[in-house]
Amino acid sequence: MRKERRRELRDSWAQLTRGRSFVLACHQRPDGDALGSALALARVLRGQGKDVVVVCEDGVPDNYRFIPDSDTVLLSTNRRGFDVGVLVDCESVKRIGSAKDALLSSSITACIDHHLPNGEFGDIRIIDPEASATAELVFELFSANGIPIDRDLATQLMAGIVGDTGAFKFANTNARTFRIASRLAAAGARASDIAREIYESHSLPAMRLLGRALCSLTMHPSGRIVWAQVTKKDLDELDATDADTEGIVNLVRWVKGPDVAILFRETKPGSIRISLRSTDDFDVERIARVFGGGGHKAAAGCTIEGSLDSARELLIGEVLKWMESST
Ligand SMILES: [Mn+2]
């Protein structure tokens, strides 16, 4: 870590830990990175005698329950007036639902995130889109401040990295990722156990839903876009939940050839959530941004109101437009 960055991280930590009461907010539909990063921060702060609340409106999905302290996550809080409010793994207070009021009631706010900057939230900002996971930034924050990493802390942070790199397979995996993961492994985190917990712990309805989604795979005549869909009817018939759609898009990406993989999810009638993945250099974040979403160059998402057919037409039209303009 560069000396200057180390100093920045020390300053940020000093400023943060001047507070006594903390609210840490995860985004809705939390993933291992949001939960692991928030819980690691909470663990260290509590160790220093701070009063810490972690709020995530959607709770902890089953496959992240192995993360140490995940049973401490609250769905909401009526408390206000915290000394410090920290937004973790996203930059938009719109994505934290009811936790927003508690967060904004804090005297100081902070944001720790690795998505492409989309706003200016946070008096203290630790933002680095080059990081594969927010957990990397939290690790560096601890490391710069000489905070020892025990096994639970290492497991929390490793959950973030394994989650956001698809178990070290996505394009965001780099030397820094492995350097940090190696330190976490040395501290007792078991990447293979974590990968199994996150990726190979599906319920039967979730696996059946995956099967149905894969049967819907469609290739655009150009050969450059592949997509799958999950309808509300699929969810109802299979007794599956919205959370069971998580990760399906990554399998859509397994189809060889196309530049863009898409999953359309009809989570409620008239509202279509879209996950985009690019397999090459194509930037899907700018597509998601057109529809009010965001994310990373290779992984992004947005929501389009309307029917499945109209959302698909709109979205694919936009992808084709960008493809034409970039060739
Ligand atoms: Mn993340």
Side-chain angles (χ1 to χ4, degrees), residues 116-202:
L116 290 167
N118 212 344
E120 287 297 317
F121 180 82
D123 304 314
I124 303 167
R125 286 171 60 81
I126 302 174
I127 309 283
D128 182 358
E130 304 273 294
S132 74
T134 294
E136 284 189 9
L137 303 177
V138 175
F139 173 86
E140 288 171 351
L141 182 63
F142 293 165
S143 168
N145 287 282
I147 291 159
I149 307 283
D150 65 13
R151 180 192 297 242
D152 283 345
L153 209 47
T155 302
Q156 290 166 331
L157 295 174
M158 189 75 103
I161 293 176
V162 167
D164 269 21
T165 60
F168 306 104
K169 282 190 307 176
F170 297 159
N172 60 1
T173 310
N174 55 35
R176 175 187 183 185
T177 315
F178 284 118
R179 227 163 20 235
I180 294 173
S182 144
R183 299 271 302 275
L184 298 174
R190 295 176 56 91
S192 60
D193 289 353
I194 293 171
R196 180 157 177 79
E197 293 279 4
I198 295 179
Y199 296 108
E200 299 168 12
S201 305
H202 284 30

Coordinates of all heavy atoms in Angstrom, one line a residue, residues 116-202:
L116 N -18.5 2.0 -9.5 CA -18.1 3.3 -10.1 C -18.8 4.4 -9.5 O -20.0 4.3 -9.3 CB -18.4 3.2 -11.6 CG -17.6 2.2 -12.4 CD1 -18.2 2.0 -13.8 CD2 -16.2 2.7 -12.6
P117 N -18.1 5.5 -9.1 CA -18.7 6.6 -8.3 C -19.9 7.1 -9.1 O -19.9 7.4 -10.3 CB -17.6 7.6 -8.2 CG -16.3 6.8 -8.4 CD -16.6 5.7 -9.3
N118 N -21.0 7.3 -8.3 CA -22.3 7.6 -8.9 C -22.9 8.8 -8.2 O -23.9 9.3 -8.5 CB -23.2 6.4 -8.8 CG -24.1 6.3 -9.9 OD1 -24.3 7.3 -10.6 ND2 -24.8 5.2 -10.1
G119 N -22.2 9.3 -7.2 CA -22.7 10.4 -6.4 C -21.6 10.9 -5.4 O -20.4 10.7 -5.7
E120 N -22.0 11.6 -4.4 CA -21.1 12.2 -3.5 C -21.4 11.9 -2.1 O -21.0 12.7 -1.2 CB -21.0 13.7 -3.8 CG -20.4 14.2 -5.0 CD -18.9 13.8 -5.1 OE1 -18.2 14.0 -4.0 OE2 -18.4 13.3 -6.1
F121 N -22.1 10.8 -1.8 CA -22.5 10.5 -0.5 C -21.4 10.3 0.5 O -20.4 9.6 0.1 CB -23.5 9.4 -0.4 CG -24.0 9.1 1.0 CD1 -25.0 9.8 1.5 CD2 -23.3 8.1 1.8 CE1 -25.4 9.6 2.8 CE2 -23.7 7.9 3.1 CZ -24.8 8.6 3.6
G122 N -21.4 10.9 1.7 CA -20.4 10.5 2.7 C -19.5 11.7 3.0 O -18.8 12.2 2.1
D123 N -19.4 12.1 4.3 CA -18.3 13.0 4.7 C -17.0 12.4 4.5 O -16.0 13.0 4.2 CB -18.6 13.5 6.1 CG -20.0 14.0 6.3 OD1 -20.4 14.8 5.5 OD2 -20.6 13.6 7.3
I124 N -17.0 11.1 4.9 CA -15.7 10.3 4.7 C -16.0 9.3 3.6 O -17.0 8.6 3.6 CB -15.4 9.5 6.0 CG1 -15.3 10.4 7.2 CG2 -14.2 8.7 5.8 CD1 -15.3 9.7 8.5
R125 N -15.1 9.4 2.6 CA -15.3 8.5 1.4 C -14.1 7.6 1.2 O -13.0 8.1 0.9 CB -15.7 9.3 0.2 CG -17.1 9.9 0.2 CD -17.3 10.9 -0.9 NE -17.2 10.4 -2.2 CZ -18.1 9.7 -2.9 NH1 -19.3 9.4 -2.3 NH2 -17.9 9.2 -4.1
I126 N -14.4 6.3 1.2 CA -13.3 5.3 0.8 C -13.8 4.6 -0.4 O -14.6 3.7 -0.2 CB -13.0 4.4 2.0 CG1 -12.6 5.2 3.2 CG2 -11.9 3.4 1.6 CD1 -12.4 4.4 4.5
I127 N -13.5 5.1 -1.5 CA -14.1 4.6 -2.8 C -13.0 4.2 -3.7 O -12.0 4.9 -3.9 CB -14.9 5.7 -3.5 CG1 -15.9 6.4 -2.6 CG2 -15.6 5.1 -4.8 CD1 -17.1 5.7 -2.3
D128 N -13.1 3.0 -4.2 CA -12.0 2.5 -5.1 C -12.6 1.5 -6.1 O -12.7 0.3 -5.8 CB -10.9 1.9 -4.4 CG -9.7 1.5 -5.3 OD1 -9.9 1.6 -6.5 OD2 -8.7 1.0 -4.8
P129 N -13.0 1.9 -7.3 CA -13.6 1.0 -8.3 C -12.7 -0.1 -8.7 O -13.1 -1.1 -9.4 CB -14.1 1.8 -9.4 CG -13.8 3.2 -9.1 CD -12.9 3.3 -7.8
E130 N -11.4 0.0 -8.4 CA -10.4 -1.0 -8.8 C -10.4 -2.2 -7.9 O -9.9 -3.2 -8.2 CB -9.0 -0.4 -8.8 CG -8.8 0.8 -9.7 CD -8.5 0.5 -11.1 OE1 -7.4 -0.1 -11.3 OE2 -9.3 0.7 -12.0
A131 N -11.0 -2.0 -6.7 CA -11.0 -3.1 -5.7 C -12.1 -4.1 -6.2 O -13.1 -3.8 -6.7 CB -11.4 -2.6 -4.4
S132 N -11.8 -5.4 -6.0 CA -12.7 -6.4 -6.5 C -13.9 -6.5 -5.6 O -15.0 -6.9 -6.0 CB -12.0 -7.8 -6.6 OG -11.8 -8.3 -5.3
A133 N -13.7 -6.1 -4.3 CA -14.8 -6.2 -3.3 C -14.6 -5.0 -2.3 O -13.5 -4.6 -2.1 CB -14.8 -7.5 -2.6
T134 N -15.7 -4.6 -1.7 CA -15.6 -3.6 -0.6 C -14.8 -4.2 0.5 O -14.1 -3.5 1.2 CB -17.0 -3.3 -0.1 OG1 -17.7 -2.6 -1.2 CG2 -17.0 -2.4 1.1
A135 N -14.9 -5.6 0.6 CA -14.1 -6.2 1.7 C -12.6 -6.0 1.6 O -11.9 -5.9 2.6 CB -14.4 -7.7 1.7
E136 N -12.1 -5.8 0.4 CA -10.7 -5.5 0.2 C -10.4 -4.1 0.8 O -9.4 -3.9 1.4 CB -10.4 -5.4 -1.3 CG -10.2 -6.7 -2.0 CD -9.6 -6.6 -3.4 OE1 -9.2 -5.5 -3.8 OE2 -9.6 -7.6 -4.1
L137 N -11.3 -3.2 0.6 CA -11.1 -1.8 1.1 C -11.2 -1.8 2.7 O -10.4 -1.2 3.3 CB -12.2 -0.9 0.6 CG -12.2 -0.8 -0.9 CD1 -13.3 0.2 -1.4 CD2 -10.8 -0.2 -1.4
V138 N -12.1 -2.7 3.2 CA -12.2 -2.8 4.7 C -10.9 -3.4 5.2 O -10.4 -3.0 6.2 CB -13.5 -3.6 5.1 CG1 -13.5 -3.8 6.6 CG2 -14.7 -2.8 4.6
F139 N -10.4 -4.4 4.5 CA -9.2 -5.1 4.9 C -8.1 -4.0 4.9 O -7.3 -3.9 5.9 CB -8.8 -6.2 4.0 CG -7.4 -6.8 4.3 CD1 -7.3 -7.8 5.3 CD2 -6.3 -6.3 3.7 CE1 -6.0 -8.3 5.6 CE2 -5.0 -6.8 4.0 CZ -4.9 -7.7 4.9
E140 N -8.0 -3.2 3.9 CA -6.9 -2.2 3.8 C -7.0 -1.2 4.9 O -6.0 -0.7 5.4 CB -6.8 -1.6 2.4 CG -6.3 -2.6 1.4 CD -6.4 -2.1 -0.1 OE1 -7.1 -1.1 -0.3 OE2 -5.9 -2.8 -0.9
L141 N -8.3 -0.9 5.2 CA -8.5 0.1 6.3 C -8.0 -0.5 7.6 O -7.3 0.2 8.4 CB -10.0 0.4 6.4 CG -10.6 1.4 7.4 CD1 -10.0 2.8 7.1 CD2 -12.1 1.4 7.4
F142 N -8.3 -1.7 7.9 CA -7.8 -2.4 9.1 C -6.3 -2.5 9.1 O -5.6 -2.2 10.1 CB -8.4 -3.8 9.2 CG -9.9 -3.8 9.5 CD1 -10.6 -5.0 9.3 CD2 -10.6 -2.7 9.9 CE1 -12.0 -5.1 9.5 CE2 -12.0 -2.7 10.1 CZ -12.6 -3.9 9.9
S143 N -5.8 -2.9 7.9 CA -4.3 -3.1 7.8 C -3.6 -1.8 8.0 O -2.6 -1.8 8.8 CB -4.1 -3.7 6.4 OG -2.7 -3.7 6.1
A144 N -4.0 -0.7 7.5 CA -3.4 0.6 7.6 C -3.4 1.0 9.1 O -2.6 1.9 9.5 CB -4.0 1.6 6.7
N145 N -4.4 0.5 9.8 CA -4.5 1.0 11.2 C -4.0 -0.1 12.2 O -4.4 0.0 13.4 CB -6.0 1.4 11.5 CG -6.3 2.7 10.8 OD1 -5.9 3.8 11.3 ND2 -6.9 2.7 9.6
G146 N -3.3 -1.1 11.7 CA -2.7 -2.1 12.6 C -3.7 -2.9 13.4 O -3.4 -3.4 14.5
I147 N -4.9 -3.1 12.8 CA -5.9 -3.9 13.5 C -5.7 -5.4 13.2 O -5.7 -5.8 12.0 CB -7.3 -3.5 13.0 CG1 -7.6 -2.1 13.6 CG2 -8.4 -4.5 13.5 CD1 -8.7 -1.3 12.9
P148 N -5.5 -6.2 14.2 CA -5.3 -7.6 14.0 C -6.5 -8.3 13.4 O -7.6 -8.0 13.7 CB -4.9 -8.2 15.4 CG -5.5 -7.2 16.3 CD -5.6 -5.9 15.7
I149 N -6.2 -9.3 12.5 CA -7.3 -10.1 11.9 C -7.4 -11.5 12.5 O -6.5 -12.3 12.4 CB -7.0 -10.2 10.4 CG1 -6.7 -8.9 9.7 CG2 -8.2 -10.9 9.7 CD1 -7.9 -8.0 9.4
D150 N -8.5 -11.7 13.2 CA -8.7 -13.1 13.7 C -9.5 -13.9 12.7 O -9.9 -13.4 11.6 CB -9.4 -13.0 15.1 CG -10.8 -12.5 15.0 OD1 -11.4 -12.4 13.9 OD2 -11.4 -12.2 16.1
R151 N -9.8 -15.2 13.1 CA -10.5 -16.0 12.1 C -11.8 -15.6 11.7 O -12.2 -15.6 10.5 CB -10.6 -17.4 12.7 CG -11.2 -18.4 11.7 CD -11.6 -19.7 12.5 NE -10.3 -20.3 12.9 CZ -9.9 -21.5 12.5 NH1 -10.7 -22.2 11.7 NH2 -8.8 -22.0 13.0
D152 N -12.6 -15.1 12.6 CA -14.0 -14.6 12.3 C -13.9 -13.4 11.4 O -14.7 -13.3 10.4 CB -14.8 -14.2 13.6 CG -15.2 -15.5 14.3 OD1 -15.2 -16.6 13.7 OD2 -15.6 -15.4 15.5
L153 N -13.1 -12.5 11.7 CA -12.9 -11.3 10.8 C -12.4 -11.7 9.4 O -12.9 -11.2 8.4 CB -11.9 -10.4 11.5 CG -11.9 -8.9 11.3 CD1 -13.3 -8.3 11.5 CD2 -10.9 -8.2 12.3
A154 N -11.5 -12.6 9.4 CA -11.0 -13.1 8.1 C -12.1 -13.8 7.3 O -12.2 -13.6 6.1 CB -9.8 -14.1 8.4
T155 N -13.0 -14.5 8.0 CA -14.1 -15.2 7.3 C -15.1 -14.2 6.8 O -15.6 -14.3 5.6 CB -14.8 -16.2 8.3 OG1 -13.8 -17.1 8.7 CG2 -15.9 -17.0 7.6
Q156 N -15.3 -13.2 7.5 CA -16.3 -12.1 7.1 C -15.7 -11.5 5.8 O -16.5 -11.3 4.8 CB -16.5 -11.1 8.2 CG -17.2 -11.6 9.4 CD -17.2 -10.7 10.6 OE1 -16.2 -10.0 10.8 NE2 -18.2 -10.7 11.4
L157 N -14.5 -11.1 5.8 CA -13.9 -10.4 4.7 C -13.7 -11.3 3.5 O -13.9 -11.0 2.3 CB -12.5 -9.8 5.1 CG -12.7 -8.6 6.1 CD1 -11.3 -8.2 6.6 CD2 -13.5 -7.5 5.6
M158 N -13.3 -12.6 3.7 CA -13.2 -13.6 2.7 C -14.5 -13.8 2.0 O -14.6 -14.0 0.8 CB -12.6 -14.9 3.2 CG -12.2 -15.8 2.1 SD -10.7 -15.4 1.2 CE -9.5 -16.5 1.9
A159 N -15.6 -13.8 2.8 CA -16.9 -14.0 2.2 C -17.2 -12.9 1.2 O -17.8 -13.1 0.1 CB -18.0 -14.0 3.3
G160 N -16.8 -11.7 1.5 CA -17.0 -10.6 0.5 C -16.2 -10.8 -0.7 O -16.7 -10.6 -1.9
I161 N -14.9 -11.2 -0.6 CA -14.1 -11.4 -1.8 C -14.5 -12.6 -2.6 O -14.7 -12.5 -3.8 CB -12.6 -11.5 -1.3 CG1 -12.2 -10.2 -0.7 CG2 -11.7 -11.9 -2.5 CD1 -10.8 -10.2 -0.2
V162 N -14.8 -13.7 -1.9 CA -15.2 -14.9 -2.7 C -16.6 -14.6 -3.4 O -16.8 -15.0 -4.5 CB -15.4 -16.1 -1.7 CG1 -16.2 -17.3 -2.4 CG2 -14.0 -16.6 -1.2
G163 N -17.4 -13.9 -2.7 CA -18.7 -13.5 -3.3 C -18.6 -12.6 -4.5 O -19.2 -12.9 -5.6
D164 N -17.8 -11.6 -4.4 CA -17.7 -10.6 -5.5 C -16.8 -11.0 -6.6 O -16.9 -10.4 -7.7 CB -17.3 -9.2 -5.0 CG -18.5 -8.4 -4.6 OD1 -19.6 -9.0 -4.4 OD2 -18.4 -7.2 -4.6
T165 N -16.0 -12.0 -6.4 CA -15.1 -12.5 -7.5 C -15.6 -13.8 -8.1 O -15.0 -14.4 -9.0 CB -13.7 -12.7 -7.0 OG1 -13.7 -13.7 -6.0 CG2 -13.0 -11.5 -6.5
G166 N -16.8 -14.3 -7.7 CA -17.3 -15.6 -8.1 C -16.3 -16.6 -7.8 O -16.0 -17.5 -8.6
A167 N -15.8 -16.6 -6.6 CA -14.7 -17.5 -6.1 C -13.5 -17.4 -7.0 O -13.0 -18.4 -7.5 CB -15.3 -19.0 -6.0
F168 N -13.1 -16.2 -7.2 CA -11.8 -15.9 -7.9 C -11.8 -16.2 -9.4 O -10.8 -16.5 -10.0 CB -10.6 -16.6 -7.2 CG -10.5 -16.4 -5.7 CD1 -10.9 -17.3 -4.8 CD2 -10.0 -15.1 -5.3 CE1 -10.8 -17.0 -3.4 CE2 -9.9 -14.9 -3.9 CZ -10.3 -15.8 -3.0
K169 N -13.0 -16.1 -10.0 CA -13.1 -16.4 -11.4 C -13.4 -15.2 -12.3 O -13.2 -15.2 -13.4 CB -14.3 -17.4 -11.6 CG -13.9 -18.9 -11.3 CD -15.0 -19.8 -11.7 CE -16.3 -19.4 -11.2 NZ -17.5 -20.1 -11.6
F170 N -14.0 -14.2 -11.7 CA -14.4 -13.0 -12.5 C -13.2 -12.2 -12.9 O -12.2 -12.3 -12.2 CB -15.4 -12.1 -11.7 CG -16.7 -12.8 -11.4 CD1 -17.6 -12.4 -10.4 CD2 -17.2 -13.9 -12.1 CE1 -18.8 -13.0 -10.1 CE2 -18.4 -14.6 -11.8 CZ -19.2 -14.1 -10.8
A171 N -13.4 -11.3 -13.9 CA -12.3 -10.5 -14.4 C -11.8 -9.5 -13.4 O -10.7 -9.0 -13.6 CB -12.8 -9.8 -15.7
N172 N -12.5 -9.2 -12.3 CA -12.1 -8.3 -11.3 C -11.0 -8.9 -10.4 O -10.4 -8.2 -9.6 CB -13.2 -7.7 -10.5 CG -14.0 -8.8 -9.7 OD1 -13.7 -10.0 -9.8 ND2 -15.1 -8.4 -9.0
T173 N -10.8 -10.2 -10.5 CA -9.8 -10.9 -9.7 C -8.4 -10.5 -10.1 O -8.0 -10.7 -11.3 CB -10.0 -12.4 -9.8 OG1 -11.3 -12.7 -9.6 CG2 -9.1 -13.2 -8.8
N174 N -7.6 -10.0 -9.3 CA -6.2 -9.6 -9.7 C -5.2 -9.8 -8.6 O -5.5 -10.4 -7.5 CB -6.3 -8.1 -10.1 CG -6.8 -7.2 -9.0 OD1 -6.6 -7.5 -7.8 ND2 -7.6 -6.2 -9.3
A175 N -4.0 -9.3 -8.7 CA -2.9 -9.6 -7.8 C -3.3 -9.1 -6.4 O -3.0 -9.8 -5.4 CB -1.7 -9.0 -8.3
R176 N -3.9 -7.9 -6.4 CA -4.3 -7.4 -5.1 C -5.3 -8.3 -4.3 O -5.2 -8.5 -3.1 CB -4.9 -6.0 -5.3 CG -5.5 -5.3 -4.1 CD -6.1 -4.0 -4.7 NE -6.7 -3.1 -3.7 CZ -7.4 -2.0 -4.1 NH1 -7.6 -1.7 -5.3 NH2 -7.9 -1.2 -3.1
T177 N -6.3 -8.8 -5.1 CA -7.3 -9.7 -4.5 C -6.6 -10.9 -3.9 O -6.9 -11.3 -2.8 CB -8.2 -10.3 -5.7 OG1 -8.6 -9.2 -6.5 CG2 -9.4 -11.0 -5.1
F178 N -5.6 -11.5 -4.6 CA -4.9 -12.7 -4.1 C -4.1 -12.4 -2.9 O -3.9 -13.1 -2.0 CB -4.1 -13.4 -5.2 CG -5.0 -14.2 -6.1 CD1 -5.0 -13.8 -7.5 CD2 -5.7 -15.3 -5.7 CE1 -5.8 -14.6 -8.4 CE2 -6.5 -16.0 -6.6 CZ -6.5 -15.6 -7.9
R179 N -3.5 -11.2 -3.0 CA -2.6 -10.7 -1.9 C -3.4 -10.7 -0.6 O -3.0 -11.2 0.5 CB -2.0 -9.4 -2.2 CG -0.5 -9.3 -1.9 CD 0.2 -8.2 -2.6 NE -0.5 -7.0 -3.0 CZ -0.5 -6.6 -4.2 NH1 0.2 -7.1 -5.2 NH2 -1.3 -5.5 -4.6
I180 N -4.6 -10.0 -0.7 CA -5.4 -9.9 0.5 C -6.0 -11.2 0.9 O -6.0 -11.6 2.1 CB -6.5 -8.8 0.2 CG1 -5.9 -7.5 0.0 CG2 -7.6 -8.8 1.3 CD1 -6.8 -6.4 -0.4
A181 N -6.5 -12.0 -0.1 CA -7.0 -13.3 0.2 C -6.0 -14.2 0.9 O -6.3 -15.0 1.8 CB -7.5 -14.0 -1.0
S182 N -4.8 -14.1 0.5 CA -3.7 -14.9 1.2 C -3.5 -14.5 2.6 O -3.4 -15.4 3.5 CB -2.4 -14.7 0.4 OG -1.3 -14.6 1.2
R183 N -3.6 -13.2 2.9 CA -3.5 -12.8 4.3 C -4.7 -13.3 5.1 O -4.6 -13.7 6.3 CB -3.5 -11.2 4.4 CG -2.3 -10.6 3.7 CD -1.1 -10.5 4.6 NE -1.4 -9.7 5.8 CZ -1.4 -8.3 5.8 NH1 -1.0 -7.6 4.8 NH2 -1.6 -7.7 7.0
L184 N -5.9 -13.3 4.5 CA -7.1 -13.8 5.2 C -7.1 -15.3 5.4 O -7.5 -15.8 6.4 CB -8.4 -13.4 4.4 CG -8.6 -11.9 4.2 CD1 -9.8 -11.6 3.3 CD2 -8.8 -11.2 5.5
A185 N -6.5 -16.0 4.4 CA -6.4 -17.5 4.5 C -5.4 -17.8 5.7 O -5.7 -18.7 6.5 CB -5.9 -18.1 3.2
A186 N -4.3 -17.0 5.7 CA -3.4 -17.2 6.8 C -4.0 -17.0 8.2 O -3.6 -17.6 9.2 CB -2.1 -16.3 6.6
A187 N -5.0 -16.1 8.2 CA -5.6 -15.8 9.5 C -6.7 -16.8 9.8 O -7.4 -16.6 10.8 CB -6.2 -14.4 9.4
G188 N -6.9 -17.8 8.9 CA -7.9 -18.8 9.3 C -9.1 -18.9 8.4 O -10.0 -19.8 8.6
A189 N -9.3 -18.0 7.4 CA -10.5 -18.1 6.6 C -10.3 -19.2 5.6 O -9.2 -19.4 5.0 CB -10.7 -16.8 5.8
R190 N -11.4 -20.0 5.4 CA -11.3 -21.2 4.4 C -12.1 -20.9 3.2 O -13.3 -21.0 3.2 CB -11.8 -22.4 5.1 CG -10.9 -22.8 6.3 CD -11.5 -24.0 7.0 NE -11.7 -25.1 6.1 CZ -10.7 -26.1 5.9 NH1 -9.6 -26.0 6.5 NH2 -11.0 -27.1 5.0
A191 N -11.4 -20.5 2.1 CA -12.1 -20.1 0.9 C -12.9 -21.2 0.3 O -14.0 -20.9 -0.2 CB -11.0 -19.6 -0.2
S192 N -12.5 -22.4 0.4 CA -13.3 -23.5 -0.2 C -14.6 -23.7 0.5 O -15.6 -23.9 -0.1 CB -12.5 -24.8 -0.3 OG -12.1 -25.2 1.1
D193 N -14.6 -23.6 1.8 CA -15.8 -23.8 2.6 C -16.7 -22.6 2.3 O -18.0 -22.8 2.1 CB -15.5 -23.7 4.1 CG -14.8 -25.0 4.6 OD1 -14.7 -25.9 3.8 OD2 -14.4 -25.0 5.8
I194 N -16.2 -21.4 2.2 CA -17.0 -20.2 1.9 C -17.6 -20.3 0.5 O -18.8 -20.1 0.4 CB -16.1 -19.0 2.1 CG1 -15.7 -18.8 3.5 CG2 -16.9 -17.7 1.5 CD1 -14.7 -17.7 3.8
A195 N -16.8 -20.8 -0.5 CA -17.4 -20.9 -1.8 C -18.5 -21.9 -1.8 O -19.5 -21.7 -2.5 CB -16.3 -21.4 -2.8
R196 N -18.4 -23.0 -1.1 CA -19.4 -24.0 -1.1 C -20.7 -23.4 -0.4 O -21.8 -23.6 -0.9 CB -19.0 -25.3 -0.3 CG -20.0 -26.3 -0.3 CD -19.5 -27.7 -0.1 NE -20.6 -28.7 0.0 CZ -21.3 -29.1 -1.0 NH1 -21.0 -28.7 -2.3 NH2 -22.4 -29.9 -0.9
E197 N -20.5 -22.7 0.7 CA -21.6 -22.1 1.4 C -22.4 -21.1 0.5 O -23.6 -21.1 0.5 CB -21.2 -21.3 2.6 CG -20.6 -22.2 3.8 CD -21.7 -22.8 4.6 OE1 -22.9 -22.6 4.4 OE2 -21.3 -23.5 5.6
I198 N -21.6 -20.3 -0.3 CA -22.3 -19.3 -1.1 C -22.9 -19.9 -2.4 O -24.0 -19.6 -2.7 CB -21.3 -18.2 -1.4 CG1 -20.8 -17.4 -0.2 CG2 -21.9 -17.2 -2.5 CD1 -19.8 -16.3 -0.4
Y199 N -22.1 -20.7 -3.0 CA -22.5 -21.2 -4.4 C -23.2 -22.5 -4.5 O -23.8 -22.8 -5.5 CB -21.3 -21.1 -5.3 CG -20.8 -19.7 -5.5 CD1 -19.6 -19.3 -4.9 CD2 -21.6 -18.7 -6.2 CE1 -19.2 -18.0 -5.0 CE2 -21.1 -17.4 -6.3 CZ -19.9 -17.1 -5.7 OH -19.5 -15.8 -5.8
E200 N -22.9 -23.4 -3.5 CA -23.4 -24.7 -3.6 C -24.3 -25.1 -2.5 O -24.2 -26.2 -1.9 CB -22.2 -25.7 -3.8 CG -21.4 -25.4 -5.0 CD -20.1 -26.1 -5.0 OE1 -19.9 -27.0 -4.2 OE2 -19.2 -25.7 -5.8
S201 N -25.2 -24.2 -2.1 CA -26.1 -24.5 -1.0 C -27.6 -24.1 -1.4 O -28.3 -23.5 -0.7 CB -25.7 -23.6 0.2 OG -24.4 -23.9 0.5
H202 N -27.9 -24.5 -2.7 CA -29.2 -24.2 -3.2 C -30.3 -25.1 -2.6 O -30.1 -26.3 -2.4 CB -29.2 -24.3 -4.7 CG -28.6 -23.2 -5.4 ND1 -27.5 -22.5 -4.9 CD2 -28.8 -22.7 -6.6 CE1 -27.1 -21.6 -5.7 NE2 -27.8 -21.7 -6.8

